[in-house]
Amino acid sequence: MLDLTTMASSEKKKHWWVSNRKVIFICVLLLWQKIDRHAYSVFLLTAQLVGKYLREARDLVATREHSNVFNAVGLLDAALALSPRHEAALELKARSLLFLRRFREVADMLQDYIPSCAKVGTGEGDSSTSVGSAASAPLNEERFFPRREKSVSACSFRCFSIADLKRKVLAGLSSIPGEGHWRYLVLGHACSRLGLMEDALVLLQTGRRLAAAASRRRSVSSSGDSFISFSDTVGSSGAATESESASQLISHIKLLLRRTSAAAAALEVGAASEAVRHFSKVLDGRRGVPAAYAAGCFVGRASAHRLAGRLAEAIADCNRALAVEPSCITALRTRADLLEAVGAILDCLRDLDHLKLLYDSILRDGKLPGPSWRPHHGVRYRDVATEHRALTARVQQLKNQVAATGGLVDVDYYALMGVRRGCTKSELERANLLLMLRHKPEKSAAFVERLEFGDDHRDPDSARDQAKMSATILYRLLQKGYSRITATVMEQEAAAAAVVERKQVIREKNSMPIKSNFLLETTTSSPTATALFQGMFCRDITAAGSVLPHGAIPVK
């Protein structure tokens, strides 16, 4: 009975839905139209607000004043909050950040276009550089330009969703459809300031090629009278266009990469002096070098100095690299090895403890410090665990060595100053004079003036202070080494002089004439005999003096 009642009620409900389906369909259609109309009005208002923000931002950027451009970035952030994929707003914000020298924000904003950020393989947190992938890959316009829907027949009914409506509105908001080369050019300039020279070279070349292709397309599609060369809103000052400035930057990057490659090749074959010369050309050039790139060059030159036996110069270069980039793992590891080589175990343990803290933070965070695009100078995440275990064993071994000697460890000052054992005082003074002139704390921060600091690194004043402090420690160590070696050389010279004097006395004793016993007994027996002997000696000397002017001695 219950089953029959349930079936009857279900048939009744079904009959009601079937009989009124047209009314229900019309109600749903009216509801969708109301929603679409409301969404359309909302997005029209959004488009108006975005256009207003964009116009105001362009007016502020046109003044090329720092404060106005900073305010323009705030307006562009508001516009992108309403329309995150607005092409003109993205381009203007990127160029404004580049004008404000906020290179890190540009890199974070366009991180997907950096070639070295492309993930290869399945290693956790490990990325490798694929330089050619971004150059050969086409511009992915789907990230910023919505895909257009295919046309449908007029007789078919289609309810437009909010997402489809938003795509169409955003497609209409795009003021420069089909243009995307600005990403590569702007990001290339930012990467060159952040020390990513290989990525900057690929991005600038790709952007210049895409810009040339877009210019050709515009020249073909436009008539001869209406064709006007395109110029960006925020371009480089002066007569040089964006393409020309990109070409100049590409030439500079190629020069730096050639010199660095030559230095690395010379270091690989053991030509230390040649490697030092190439690294010095990069670091001491007329045009500034990015701080992150200079840190790697300092570490490379330190390795070349170590190969040549100039340990003080190598430690000084490691100090410069750490002053520029305090978390440089390669510089810390190299300086710890150098300090252990000269016997400064306590200083070496200090660097190894700092390195261990960095490894602990990397293993805790699951990634290398900083953003994924930051250069790490050959350090890979998958090698950190193994190096951490080896580092722990090394620290324990050095602590046991210090405990066995009672905390007194002899430093090899000869190796530190680059003089041989048993050197002369003149050789020591010459070596000390050269080291004192090179490593004066007052001159230790001069290299900071030739570097270009981005916003992701510490400011130049902090780098100068760190460089002076490290140079002072090295300077005092060299002075202590000079005093120790001088004392040793003085002791050796005194001992050698004593030996020479002793030999001279022995030689004089051996060369003295042998006197007869009679004369010795006569001279020592009585004062009368002594006076008699002296008188006879004086008489003989007088006779000899009277004979000498005559030219002959009479023979009796």
Side-chain angles (χ1 to χ4, degrees):
M1 188 72 181
L2 293 174
D3 295 336
L4 293 175
T5 306
T6 305
M7 290 176 61
S9 60
S10 63
E11 289 179 359
K12 184 178 180 180
K13 291 180 180 178
K14 183 177 180 182
H15 178 72
W16 185 88
W17 281 103
V18 171
S19 60
N20 297 284
R21 64 178 182 271
K22 292 184 178 180
V23 177
I24 295 173
F25 184 77
I26 292 173
C27 293
V28 171
L29 179 61
L30 292 175
L31 181 63
W32 272 109
Q33 287 181 351
K34 184 177 180 181
I35 295 175
D36 287 342
R37 190 178 297 107
H38 177 69
Y40 184 71
S41 61
V42 169
F43 283 109
L44 282 181
L45 180 61
T46 302
Q48 292 177 359
L49 287 176
V50 170
K52 178 183 176 182
Y53 291 151
L54 191 60
R55 287 191 300 271
E56 294 178 357
R58 282 175 176 169
D59 294 338
L60 291 174
V61 168
T63 60
R64 300 184 62 83
E65 294 183 2
H66 191 277
S67 58
N68 292 338
V69 176
F70 182 80
N71 295 331
V73 172
L75 291 174
L76 292 172
D77 289 335
L80 290 174
L82 297 174
S83 177
R85 296 187 179 185
H86 194 283
E87 182 75 5
L90 287 171
E91 179 180 2
L92 191 57
K93 181 182 177 181
R95 295 185 182 277
S96 300
L97 292 175
L98 187 66
F99 177 80
L100 296 174
R101 301 183 63 84
R102 292 158 63 175
F103 307 118
R104 179 174 182 174
E105 296 184 20
V106 177
D108 293 337
M109 177 181 173
L110 303 174
Q111 185 176 354
D112 295 338
Y113 290 88
I114 300 178
S116 60
C117 289
K119 301 290 183 181
V120 179
T122 59
E124 181 183 359
D126 187 19
S127 62
S128 60
T129 305
S130 57
V131 176
S133 60
S136 59
L139 178 64
N140 188 6
E141 297 182 357
E142 294 179 1
R143 300 174 185 169
F144 296 88
F145 296 99
R147 186 178 299 174
R148 296 182 179 274
E149 298 291 338
K150 295 181 180 180
S151 59
V152 294
S153 58
C155 60
S156 62
F157 175 77
R158 184 170 182 270
C159 296
F160 291 96
S161 64
I162 297 178
D164 295 334
L165 188 60
K166 186 176 180 180
R167 282 197 192 98
K168 291 191 176 184
V169 172
L170 290 177
L173 290 177
S174 179
S175 59
I176 312 177
E179 298 291 343
H181 61 273
W182 64 267
R183 297 182 183 86
Y184 295 96
L185 293 175
V186 173
L187 186 58
H189 282 275
C191 288
S192 66
R193 299 300 190 274
L194 295 173
L196 304 171
M197 292 302 179
E198 294 85 357
D199 294 334
L201 181 63
V202 173
L203 290 169
L204 290 172
Q205 289 178 340
T206 305
R208 190 174 60 174
R209 185 172 65 249
L210 292 176
S215 178
R216 287 194 297 269
R217 287 195 300 269
R218 285 194 302 270
S219 65
V220 170
S221 61
S222 302
S223 61
D225 296 334
S226 62
F227 175 73
I228 301 175
S229 60
F230 177 75
S231 60
D232 295 315
T233 305
V234 184
S236 58
S237 61
T241 61
E242 188 177 29
S243 179
E244 292 175 354
S245 63
S247 301
Q248 294 176 2
L249 187 56
I250 286 173
S251 301
H252 177 59
I253 293 174
K254 285 183 177 180
L255 179 61
L256 293 179
L257 292 178
R258 280 198 299 268
R259 287 176 174 173
T260 308
S261 301
L267 186 60
E268 186 177 357
V269 299
S273 59
E274 191 72 13
V276 169
R277 186 173 65 87
H278 285 294
F279 278 125
S280 299
K281 283 185 177 180
V282 174
L283 296 169
D284 302 335
R286 295 181 179 178
R287 190 166 180 175
V289 182
Y293 191 73
C297 293
F298 279 129
V299 175
R301 194 170 69 174
S303 302
H305 280 308
R306 182 182 182 182
L307 184 62
R310 296 188 288 269
L311 300 186
E313 301 289 343
I315 294 175
D317 278 338
C318 290
N319 291 339
R320 296 185 184 101
L322 290 172
V324 171
E325 193 170 350
S327 62
C328 184
I329 295 177
T330 310
L332 269 175
R333 192 165 49 199
T334 305
R335 190 171 70 174
D337 295 339
L338 290 168
L339 292 173
E340 185 180 3
V342 300
I345 305 300
L346 298 178
D347 296 332
C348 175
L349 283 173
R350 192 179 300 111
D351 284 346
L352 291 179
D353 290 338
H354 189 188
L355 188 60
K356 188 177 179 181
L357 290 176
L358 285 177
Y359 283 159
D360 291 337
S361 64
I362 291 172
L363 294 175
R364 182 182 65 251
D365 299 337
K367 65 181 186 67
L368 294 175
S372 58
W373 45 261
R374 174 175 288 182
H376 297 289
H377 311 294
V379 179
R380 297 177 297 183
Y381 176 77
R382 62 171 176 262
D383 300 333
V384 172
T386 305
E387 292 179 358
H388 184 269
R389 290 192 295 268
L391 179 62
T392 304
R394 181 182 176 185
V395 169
Q396 188 62 36
Q397 180 182 359
L398 291 176
K399 287 183 178 179
N400 294 335
Q401 181 179 350
V402 172
T405 57
L408 300 177
V409 182
D410 294 333
V411 180
D412 189 0
Y413 293 110
Y414 290 93
L416 178 64
M417 301 191 68
V419 295
R420 60 181 180 84
R421 293 184 179 273
C423 63
T424 62
K425 188 176 181 180
S426 60
E427 294 176 352
L428 177 61
E429 289 180 352
R430 182 176 180 275
N432 179 69
L433 179 61
L434 292 176
L435 290 174
M436 293 297 107
L437 290 176
R438 290 175 182 173
H439 303 294
K440 278 187 176 182
E442 297 80 10
K443 298 181 179 180
S444 59
F447 73 96
V448 179
E449 305 298 333
R450 295 188 295 270
L451 302 182
E452 295 178 354
F453 286 84
D455 56 343
D456 63 314
H457 288 85
R458 60 195 316 182
D459 56 316
D461 295 333
S462 300
R464 291 189 190 94
D465 296 339
Q466 180 67 28
K468 288 181 180 179
M469 184 176 64
S470 302
T472 303
I473 295 174
L474 179 61
Y475 189 79
R476 291 176 180 174
L477 190 62
L478 291 173
Q479 283 183 333
K480 187 176 180 180
Y482 174 70
S483 60
R484 291 286 185 86
I485 298 176
T486 302
T488 304
V489 169
M490 294 297 292
E491 291 177 359
Q492 292 176 355
E493 289 183 354
V499 171
V500 170
E501 185 178 357
R502 192 179 301 111
K503 289 182 178 179
Q504 183 68 22
V505 170
I506 295 173
R507 191 179 299 111
E508 289 178 357
K509 286 182 180 181
N510 293 333
S511 62
M512 287 178 62
I514 300 176
K515 298 180 181 180
S516 62
N517 294 331
F518 173 75
L519 293 176
L520 290 175
E521 293 175 357
T522 305
T523 55
T524 58
S525 60
S526 62
T528 308
T530 302
L532 178 62
F533 177 76
Q534 291 179 355
M536 292 173 60
F537 180 75
C538 293
R539 185 185 60 195
D540 292 339
I541 290 297
T542 305
S546 62
V547 173
L548 286 176
H550 298 286
I553 299 176
V555 180
K556 295 182 180 179

